[in-house]
Amino acid sequence: MRRRSLILAAVPAGLVTIAGCGDDKSDKSKTSVSESPSAEAPSSVPPPKIVDGPLPAITAGTKFGEKPTVAKGTGEPSDQLAVKTVIAGGGQTVAENDYIQANYLGQIWDTAKVFDNSWDRKTPLVIQLAQGSIIDGWRYALTGKKAGSRVEFSVPPTWGYGKNGNTQAGIKGTDTLVFVVDLQETFNAKSSAKGKAVAQDDAKLPKVGTNTDGSAPSIEVPKVDPPKGLVANYVLEGDGDPVGAQDSVLVQYKGVLWENGKEFDSTYGRKSLTSFGLSQVVKGWAQGLTGKKVGSRVLIVVPPDLGYGDNPPNGSGIGKDSTMVFSVDILAKM
């Protein structure tokens, strides 16, 4: 059984809490099919061949970051995956199972009908390129591309929505789809916040390491009584958008107990990032991250009344009425 993040709030047993062991499905932001190219079920079909074309022309919005206009497809589309790097970026290379942040437009080959685009929502998509999280055409087309690239590709039903199509998006089971994707960033288990270091002057509060090499930061807990209230301070202050109370975020984090400094949970140890909505987590996390900027590392000290109180998750290593200390890297808003 794969261990999932402890920070997610659990509904059973009246816990205002964090879940224990389980699968990772609830770690992912819940996004409707109409708002992203999400997969409906894991695919068992073999990988496609990657071919050069044909692909319709991008007739307007030709620069990276601009909303593109794409011509209708002419002739028969490939029955494989046609992929073209329209603009080559110089950023980090995307690997399968990475999270990506991207703007995109999707339309139907035969009609040029746009069924979805992130530009109009003014919010880029953040999603994991993992089987079952996104349609296979995206996984195969974008793996190996670099951040800063614009990629155009066509996806036949086999690596799209299959024979059933997607009625909500107006996609038939015979439709080949055309996507233009602007890859902004990619994130993996070695990603870190990159903000500016902020002085940690209070001797009565934990000190958090400022390394940005992707390894877990140190957390040094002072041998004094914990604070009674919530603490949420920048360790590294980023320059991204502030996180809203209803937002979902992609994070790296590490949690230790105030009483003995013992680690009880960490994405670094699992070698896997975690994503969640602030409405899903313990109150101390939700309140501590609200208003903090993307790209930041934040020290959060969670008192018992904003954490688990007298009812911690079984097997978590967290005692009753424990004060928890977290280092949280806010990598992206979802």
Side-chain angles (χ1 to χ4, degrees):
M1 180 168 61
R2 187 177 176 187
R3 188 176 180 230
R4 87 175 187 187
S5 166
L6 281 177
I7 61 166
L8 293 180
V11 176
L15 303 179
V16 187
T17 90
I18 303 175
C21 295
D23 60 35
D24 283 349
K25 291 180 181 177
S26 57
D27 284 5
K28 298 182 176 66
S29 176
K30 301 296 190 293
T31 310
S32 70
V33 173
S34 63
E35 294 178 339
S36 75
S38 305
E40 295 186 353
S43 172
S44 59
V45 299
K49 293 179 181 178
I50 306 297
V51 298
D52 293 333
L55 286 167
I58 299 173
T59 58
T62 57
K63 295 179 180 179
F64 185 91
E66 294 181 341
K67 179 184 174 182
T69 300
V70 183
K72 185 173 72 170
T74 56
E76 290 296 319
S78 175
D79 62 357
Q80 299 297 312
L81 203 66
V83 182
K84 180 182 180 181
T85 300
V86 180
I87 299 171
Q92 183 176 332
T93 301
V94 176
E96 187 169 356
N97 296 315
D98 282 0
Y99 284 82
I100 60 166
Q101 177 174 297
N103 274 312
Y104 71 96
L105 178 141
Q107 68 183 46
I108 296 170
W109 176 280
D110 288 335
T111 64
K113 177 187 174 183
V114 175
F115 59 83
D116 192 20
N117 84 90
S118 63
W119 275 277
D120 287 353
R121 290 193 294 274
K122 302 186 187 308
T123 303
L125 173 70
V126 178
I127 198 165
Q128 189 176 22
L129 287 184
Q131 188 175 34
S133 295
I134 196 165
I135 58 173
D136 283 343
W138 272 58
R139 290 197 299 125
Y140 292 121
L142 297 178
T143 296
K145 303 301 183 185
K146 291 186 176 182
S149 296
R150 167 169 284 190
V151 184
E152 183 183 14
F153 53 99
S154 66
V155 181
T158 302
W159 296 282
Y161 291 104
K163 295 179 180 179
N164 294 326
N166 186 303
T167 54
Q168 183 180 353
I171 298 169
K172 302 191 298 291
T174 55
D175 283 337
T176 289
L177 312 178
V178 178
F179 290 98
V180 176
V181 177
D182 283 4
L183 286 167
Q184 296 178 337
E185 293 191 65
T186 184
F187 308 97
N188 57 36
K190 299 295 289 182
S191 294
S192 287
K194 301 293 185 183
K196 181 179 179 181
V198 175
Q200 301 179 70
D201 296 332
D202 193 334
K204 294 182 179 180
L205 291 179
K207 299 293 187 294
V208 177
T210 57
N211 58 293
T212 59
D213 59 357
S215 60
S218 59
I219 302 178
E220 299 177 6
V221 182
K223 296 189 180 302
V224 298
D225 290 338
K228 300 298 184 184
L230 177 70
V231 174
N233 294 341
Y234 283 120
V235 176
L236 302 173
E237 185 173 359
D239 58 4
D241 292 337
V243 175
Q246 303 303 315
D247 284 338
S248 296
V249 290
L250 178 68
V251 302
Q252 287 266 39
Y253 73 91
K254 173 181 172 180
V256 304
L257 298 175
W258 183 287
E259 62 190 46
N260 56 19
K262 181 179 179 182
E263 181 180 309
F264 61 86
D265 194 16
S266 170
T267 56
Y268 302 95
R270 291 194 298 275
K271 294 181 171 55
S272 177
L273 303 178
T274 289
S275 60
F276 54 81
L278 292 193
S279 61
Q280 294 176 281
V281 295
V282 293
K283 291 180 181 179
W285 265 67
Q287 294 176 19
L289 292 182
T290 298
K292 295 297 189 285
K293 290 182 281 191
V294 172
S296 299
R297 176 170 297 163
V298 183
L299 163 69
I300 304 179
V301 180
V302 181
D305 63 323
L306 296 178
Y308 297 117
D310 63 358
N311 195 10
N314 292 331
S316 65
I318 302 169
K320 291 183 178 180
D321 297 319
S322 290
T323 295
M324 300 177 291
V325 181
F326 293 94
S327 170
V328 185
D329 282 17
I330 309 170
L331 302 177
K333 289 202 300 184
M334 315 264 311

